[in-house]
Amino acid sequence: MSIFSKDPLQITVFQSYGTHNHFYARGRALEDENISLERKGVLGLLVNSYKRFESDEIKNTSLTLTLPNHQEIKTKTDNDGYFLVDEKIDNLNELTTTEGWLKYTISFTDINIKHKINNNNIFEGEVLIPSAKASFGVISDIDDTILHTGVVSKLKWRLLINTLFKSPYNRRALEGSSEFYSLLHSGKSGNDANPFFYVSHSPWNMYRYLEYFLTKNNFPKGAILLRTMRNIFSKKKDDKPQKQKEIINILKTYTDLPFILIGDAGEHDADIYMETVTQFPNRIKAIYIRNVSKNKNNERIKNLVKNYTDTTFLLVNDSNEAIAHAKKHHFIA
């Protein structure tokens, strides 16, 4: 943070998840670069993208998080501006909404900060604590599963164009995906409040962009799990993808909750999900993988699951197929 900067400060709080006795929250303190998520025009969108990735983090600064019962938790940002609160606290479920969301606030508390702070220095966050009435959880990829990104295009050129030159305001969800997800959220009873977890290889710099897209296109609210830029560039050869690590952690967190996994045939979702079934037997109710047009990986996956019986596995062409299958298996009404 430059002493000559005049940008006000903000805290971007990431939607996270926890349990009735485990509070887990994270986010990032940054200068507000005034990025409009509804901006139009090539130049404006390019400027947005530059600001998004050339962020000015507020490193090593004190923050105070306040729960609905007024309990305070002290934390501090790291060298990249991220904060992480990982605390054992009992009876957190008593503080949640009927949908399982625990709301909290977080503020800067470093007395040496001389900058203007947005929102009167009160930033709201939420942690998902699945409702007791939930019958299963849903873990979904984002890229080319519900949002067309072009991640499988040659040299990733479509991915670059969509990321740099398209506003989330103008991005459209894949047809029927929002309806399918809403039905899964409601479950068989229509009132299950099944929790959602959105995973992506995208960096946290894309958080507000993806959160806006999910909200605008009426997807069920859920935890959004991305990765740091440092993690992208420092990944070791034998490391599991960060997305896979997040999936493993979710399944270890909710040991009594079965899950449905949703992805696409573009890259390695099918392989990751099948490995997850092996690692967590009898925990995965179904796997849905969306076909990606003109992608040679489709045929590989078809052969991969031809005689697969470890769990229900469906390679779908559209959301109507998935909805019909989910009704047949009594996942939805």
Side-chain angles (χ1 to χ4, degrees), residues 145-146 172-184 217-219 290 318-323:
T145 299
I146 57 177
R172 295 291 179 265
L174 291 168
E175 187 174 357
S177 55
S178 175
E179 178 189 359
F180 178 42
Y181 282 38
S182 295
L183 288 169
L184 287 173
N217 287 280
N218 299 312
F219 283 93
R290 191 184 72 82
D318 57 49
S319 294
N320 289 331
E321 284 185 41
I323 290 171

Side-chain angles (χ1 to χ4, degrees), residues 39-316:
R39 180 170 289 171
K40 301 176 182 178
V42 172
L43 180 59
L45 291 170
L46 188 59
V47 169
N48 264 4
S49 296
Y50 173 78
K51 289 180 177 180
R52 189 172 288 120
F53 288 96
E54 199 283 317
S55 55
D56 293 314
E57 63 275 0
I58 314 303
K59 58 181 70 175
N60 304 317
T61 191
S62 299
L63 308 173
T64 298
L65 186 151
T66 306
L67 299 178
N69 61 0
H70 306 296
Q71 179 178 346
E72 292 187 346
I73 303 171
K74 305 295 183 181
T75 188
K76 196 170 187 178
T77 61
D78 64 16
N79 284 333
D80 295 314
Y82 292 100
F83 74 84
L84 172 65
V85 176
D86 189 348
E87 298 276 346
K88 295 291 184 182
I89 303 174
D90 290 331
N91 303 317
L92 289 171
N93 53 306
E94 297 177 2
L95 304 176
T96 63
T97 67
T98 56
E99 288 280 305
W101 288 97
L102 189 159
K103 299 176 182 290
Y104 64 89
T105 61
I106 189 165
S107 305
F108 290 99
T109 47
D110 191 331
I111 61 173
N112 295 316
I113 290 179
K114 305 301 181 182
H115 286 243
K116 177 184 176 182
I117 302 175
N118 287 343
N119 296 349
N120 295 316
N121 195 22
I122 299 175
F123 300 89
E124 297 181 347
E126 293 178 296
V127 171
L128 175 60
I129 299 175
S131 167
K133 61 186 178 181
S135 54
F136 57 81
V138 178
I139 301 174
S140 173
D141 179 45
I142 296 176
D143 314 312
D144 285 315
T145 299
I146 57 177
L147 169 66
H148 179 64
T149 62
V151 72
V152 298
S153 62
K154 191 174 183 180
L155 301 180
K156 311 290 186 187
W157 67 270
R158 288 187 184 275
L159 174 63
L160 290 173
I161 289 174
N162 286 328
T163 301
L164 297 178
F165 299 110
K166 284 192 177 181
S167 161
Y169 178 79
N170 292 321
R171 302 291 291 274
R172 295 291 179 265
L174 291 168
E175 187 174 357
S177 55
S178 175
E179 178 189 359
F180 178 42
Y181 282 38
S182 295
L183 288 169
L184 287 173
H185 175 64
S186 298
K188 179 63 177 175
S189 74
N191 192 37
D192 286 1
N194 293 320
F196 265 73
F197 305 83
Y198 298 98
V199 295
S200 171
H201 286 308
S202 296
W204 285 112
N205 304 62
M206 294 292 293
Y207 177 82
R208 288 186 62 233
Y209 187 106
L210 294 173
E211 180 189 39
Y212 184 96
F213 165 81
L214 291 167
T215 302
K216 182 178 182 297
N217 287 280
N218 299 312
F219 283 93
K221 185 164 68 171
I224 301 173
L225 309 168
L226 310 180
R227 58 178 176 167
T228 64
M229 295 291 288
R230 189 185 297 273
N231 177 267
I232 292 173
F233 293 111
S234 64
K235 183 178 180 296
K236 297 178 181 178
K237 184 178 179 180
D238 296 328
D239 275 357
K240 290 186 182 299
Q242 181 63 29
K243 184 165 67 173
Q244 186 172 4
K245 292 178 181 178
E246 292 287 1
I247 292 170
I248 290 170
N249 191 58
I250 292 166
L251 285 158
K252 286 183 176 179
T253 299
Y254 306 111
T255 55
D256 296 326
L257 194 65
F259 279 85
I260 290 174
L261 309 180
I262 308 176
D264 65 88
E267 292 194 308
H268 303 293
D269 287 350
D271 306 85
I272 290 173
Y273 293 172
M274 291 171 74
E275 186 176 331
T276 301
V277 172
T278 301
Q279 189 173 356
F280 297 91
N282 304 315
R283 293 288 308 282
I284 308 302
K285 295 172 76 71
I287 296 172
Y288 293 99
I289 296 292
R290 191 184 72 82
N291 269 318
V292 177
S293 62
K294 298 179 181 180
N295 179 30
K296 61 183 180 182
N297 204 33
N298 286 349
E299 289 303 317
R300 184 186 72 84
I301 294 173
K302 287 179 183 177
N303 291 327
L304 195 63
V305 302
K306 189 176 294 182
N307 300 308
Y308 185 72
T309 58
D310 289 0
T311 193
T312 299
F313 192 116
L314 191 66
L315 193 59
V316 300

